[in-house]
Amino acid sequence: MGKALLNHDENFFKDLAARQVASGAHYIDVSVASGKADKNQEIKNMEWAVKTIQEEVDKPLAIDTTDPDILKAGLKNHKGQAMINSISYESLDRLTAFLELAKEYQAKLVALPTTDKGIPPTSEERVDVCMYIIGEARKYGIDMEDIYFDPLVLPISVDVNNSVTALDTLKKIKSLSPRTRTTLGLSNVSFGMPNRDVLNKSFLLLALKYLDSAILNPLDEGMMSFLTAGGALLGDEKMRADYLRAFRKKRAAKKKELTEKEEKAVDEKKANEIKTEVKEKPEVPKPEEDKPEKKEKMDPIFESLSMAVQEGDTEKVKELTKKAIDDGFEPEKILDDGLMAGMETVGVKFAEGEMFIPEVLKSGETLKISIQSLQPYLKEDGPTYKGKILMATVEGDIHDLGKNLVSMNLTANGFEVIDIGINIPASEIIGAVKEHKPDILGLSALLTTTMPEMEKVINLLKENNMRDSCKVILGGAPVSEEFAEEINADLYAENAIEAVSVINTALAG
Ligand code: B12
């Protein structure tokens, strides 16, 4: 690194920065300390390093120095809000100079509880120093959320209580000044101990509850997965998403490696076999409609809508839906080729282990909200009352997106819909039929294991002499027309659009 800095090796610095960002770093620490007394050279190096790294990555930098002039060189050349690493109370002059620069360049600060006597041994004393620094920072009008306190940890090899002191300091700072942020350099805790990795990760987990950030090597995959796992367990949604993303990334890399190494040979062999086979078969001309160029080209907005549903990005879906409407696309087409297509892909990815329950739920929620935003357009024709439909998802089944869609589409087409929800026992459904006297009862099931509940409802209707009072329509991905016939339901529809026409016909006849 020293040599690369001396030679201003642009490629080396840019590559290192890019790799750190790719691994999830939020800040890149920049230190130009050479151990030599050439301050002017260090100032030049800092200017060069900040400019060079920011040409490559768009993450902010942490200017790591104890010298105000080198700090200024870094801050002056930094685009956006930099981080100062670090301030302390070793010298009042330096503290003041750093705070002035922080104010001038609106930088964030890492603050350390050190004094001219070193690191205070107890958590109480460290907190006192922190509170003093906070007081000084307030004089400069620095926002508490821009200060990151690092309680400093000494190795447990020297004193077994060292990690506890750091943890207590963090906890006290958070309770005394909740808006102040915290951070922690982890690795010192394990110095002089074997198996340092285990200690560092365990320490991170113990501290995580009081931490807003941590200083760690983002290229250390194991540590990053502990960070995201711990964050997810502490209720941080972004960490949970990062945990899943990291898992997928790792699996994709493994798959790619496998494909490259082992499957290449197999593919080549197969390709040769296919070539031979094709040669032996007589050429059959393709029918006209099979030719790919005949296929209707889909507007890219549908792919964007589908992607936004997959990403669970509600705002983007709403925005795109509005744009599609403004561009004159039919609401039904937006629903089918955009929103539903996205959810279908979510289903495939879920089944293949590519997506996981939190993401499926987020996509589901997005679908729900976006369908609601489409509803006014579906209603545009001003439907007249056509009949009463009672909708329920059967007992043991909590899937409701499809049922909701059917309900909405029916409402939009002039039916009165009473939706009694998900996981509804047969007896409760019968009770609701008695109470509301619908023309049609709609039952939804998405699990093969809950389909028998549908038959239970129909039998119970019969037992209560209510079978003739309302027709029963079934739906849900695993349900088929044959199944509906088999259990003596009256109607079946494959989707929300078909549901409307099937019900229209049934009530007209
Ligand atoms: C979203 C989802 C979830 C969400 C549900 C969120 C919610 N609020 O609904 C969550 C994450 C909670 C979930 C949980 C589970 N799920 Co799930 N889930 C799905 C997923 C990905 C999408 C379903 C969906 O909403 N599709 C979009 C909607 C709009 O389509 P739809 O429901 O088919 O509805 C349309 C039609 O079927 C029809 N329709 C639906 N109902 C009705 C009713 C009537 C009257 C009519 C006429 C028409 C009709 O019209 C709708 C619109 O066109 C599917 C996979 C898939 N591709 O289907 C798996 C899937 C249904 N789930 C599955 C499983 C196994 C589970 C879990 C057991 C997972 C687990 N291991 O814990 C649990 C079960 C929980 C429970 N007790 O119900 C399996 C079911 C396998 C099977 N056939 O039995 C599937 C197929 C995934 C898979 N391949 O493994 N799931």
Side-chain angles (χ1 to χ4, degrees):
M1 171 85 93
K3 244 189 189 167
L5 185 63
L6 271 180
N7 300 334
H8 285 193
D9 183 344
E10 211 171 283
N11 288 342
F12 176 86
F13 268 72
K14 286 185 171 174
D15 176 59
L16 186 62
R19 280 194 293 132
Q20 291 194 359
V21 171
S23 304
H26 299 125
Y27 281 87
I28 297 176
D29 194 81
V30 185
S31 166
V32 294
S34 60
K36 293 178 193 139
D38 190 352
K39 187 165 145 181
N40 283 339
Q41 187 56 46
E42 288 190 357
I43 289 177
K44 277 187 198 137
N45 286 348
M46 179 58 86
E47 285 174 347
W48 174 82
V50 168
K51 279 187 200 157
T52 304
I53 296 170
Q54 287 209 310
E55 269 169 26
E56 181 67 20
V57 297
D58 59 3
K59 292 284 174 210
L61 310 183
I63 313 295
D64 189 347
T65 181
T66 50
D67 188 301
D69 296 324
I70 295 174
L71 176 62
K72 187 167 179 148
L75 293 177
K76 215 168 55 186
N77 288 286
H78 189 281
K79 288 182 260 167
Q81 193 177 23
M83 173 83 89
I84 296 174
N85 188 16
S86 53
I87 59 166
S88 66
Y89 185 40
E90 280 160 56
S91 119
L92 188 56
D93 286 349
R94 195 166 78 208
L95 175 62
T96 311
F98 271 42
L99 288 174
E100 268 169 10
L101 285 169
K103 181 68 193 162
E104 185 181 345
Y105 291 98
Q106 309 244 308
K108 296 187 183 209
L109 297 149
V110 174
L112 309 177
T114 49
T115 69
D116 54 346
K117 294 185 187 66
I119 304 173
T122 67
S123 62
E124 288 78 12
E125 287 165 285
R126 288 187 203 182
V127 172
D128 282 349
V129 179
C130 292
M131 296 319 284
Y132 179 80
I133 293 177
I134 286 179
E136 289 299 301
R138 280 215 169 96
K139 287 185 196 163
Y140 288 87
I142 289 170
D143 190 339
M144 287 304 107
E145 288 184 357
D146 281 342
I147 303 181
Y148 287 74
F149 270 106
D150 182 339
L152 293 176
V153 64
L154 296 168
I156 57 160
S157 54
V158 178
D159 181 340
V160 74
N161 285 313
N162 275 337
S163 64
V164 178
T165 303
L167 293 171
D168 282 351
T169 308
L170 278 176
K171 195 175 170 184
K172 283 175 190 154
I173 292 171
K174 269 292 173 197
S175 74
L176 286 171
S177 181
R179 285 188 64 238
T180 306
R181 307 279 171 100
T182 51
T183 189
L184 185 59
L186 292 163
S187 55
N188 212 22
V189 76
S190 61
F191 186 78
M193 295 288 283
N195 240 341
R196 291 186 64 181
D197 192 40
V198 174
L199 287 168
N200 293 345
K201 285 172 180 157
S202 306
F203 186 48
L204 172 69
L205 286 185
L206 289 171
L208 205 53
K209 198 171 172 189
Y210 313 110
L211 282 180
D212 296 298
S213 69
I215 301 165
L216 44 81
N217 178 6
L219 300 179
D220 182 343
E221 259 181 44
M223 185 62 94
M224 291 304 277
S225 62
F226 262 68
L227 176 70
T228 53
L233 292 169
L234 286 169
D236 185 327
E237 209 176 319
K238 190 183 165 298
M239 288 285 186
R240 190 177 64 181
D242 285 348
Y243 177 87
L244 295 176
R245 207 170 297 130
F247 170 81
R248 256 193 302 270
K249 203 171 147 194
K250 203 170 165 189
R251 198 172 56 180
K254 239 187 204 166
K255 242 188 196 169
K256 197 174 162 220
E257 203 183 326
L258 247 178
T259 317
E260 281 170 4
K261 272 189 187 163
E262 295 169 18
E263 293 181 1
K264 206 176 165 198
V266 180
D267 282 351
E268 272 169 13
K269 200 177 158 214
K270 265 189 193 161
N272 284 336
E273 280 169 11
I274 290 166
K275 262 188 214 156
T276 326
E277 227 176 78
V278 169
K279 266 190 192 161
E280 281 163 6
K281 279 186 187 164
E283 287 255 335
V284 182
K286 273 189 174 180
E288 276 297 298
E289 60 272 20
D290 277 4
K291 286 193 177 163
E293 60 267 25
K294 281 264 168 185
K295 269 189 190 163
E296 194 195 333
K297 214 174 164 221
M298 190 91 85
D299 192 283
I301 197 159
F302 296 108
E303 179 57 26
S304 307
L305 268 166
S306 162
M307 279 309 294
V309 169
Q310 290 170 54
E311 283 159 9
D313 190 337
T314 309
E315 284 313 306
K316 200 165 175 190
V317 171
K318 276 194 207 160
E319 201 180 289
L320 287 166
T321 303
K322 191 180 172 306
K323 187 176 181 309
I325 293 280
D326 291 346
D327 289 352
F329 289 107
E330 288 295 317
E332 286 76 13
K333 191 167 168 61
I334 298 172
L335 191 61
D336 276 357
D337 296 345
L339 305 176
M340 292 296 286
M343 199 63 205
E344 221 160 86
T345 310
V346 169
V348 173
K349 288 185 176 171
F350 180 56
E352 287 172 353
E354 277 295 311
M355 279 181 87
F356 300 90
I357 285 181
E359 294 160 321
V360 175
L361 282 176
K362 211 165 163 210
S363 292
E365 194 52 33
T366 303
L367 181 69
K368 211 185 263 184
I369 293 169
S370 42
I371 288 172
Q372 276 161 7
S373 73
L374 250 192
Q375 206 177 6
Y377 303 103
L378 291 167
K379 258 185 171 172
E380 233 171 31
D381 292 340
T384 49
Y385 180 83
K386 291 183 185 162
K388 196 192 275 185
I389 321 288
L390 185 82
M391 292 286 295
T393 300
V394 296
E395 185 169 18
D397 204 320
I398 61 165
H399 293 86
D400 70 350
L401 299 172
K403 166 185 66 61
N404 294 349
L405 194 50
V406 174
S407 298
M408 262 180 232
N409 214 18
L410 286 169
T411 309
N413 280 279
F415 293 94
E416 179 191 353
V417 178
I418 298 156
D419 187 339
I420 57 169
I422 52 171
N423 189 21
I424 310 289
S427 58
E428 248 179 67
I429 296 177
I430 304 301
V433 171
K434 266 187 196 154
E435 184 190 340
H436 298 289
K437 301 188 176 44
D439 301 301
I440 292 196
L441 168 65
L443 297 176
S444 180
L446 262 283
L447 299 170
T448 37
T449 49
T450 56
M451 283 164 62
E453 276 296 310
M454 295 175 142
E455 187 171 15
K456 206 167 153 189
V457 175
I458 292 175
N459 289 341
L460 213 55
L461 278 174
K462 243 187 250 161
E463 281 169 31
N464 284 271
N465 296 320
M466 292 158 66
R467 186 63 190 90
D468 298 329
S469 68
C470 77
K471 290 193 161 89
V472 178
I473 183 167
L474 305 186
V479 180
S480 65
E481 192 154 14
E482 291 73 45
F483 175 77
E485 267 172 31
E486 213 177 289
I487 66 166
N488 296 316
D490 305 283
L491 309 163
Y492 163 80
E494 198 181 331
N495 55 49
I497 312 245
E498 201 180 294
V500 174
S501 60
V502 168
I503 290 177
N504 262 333
T505 313
L507 291 184

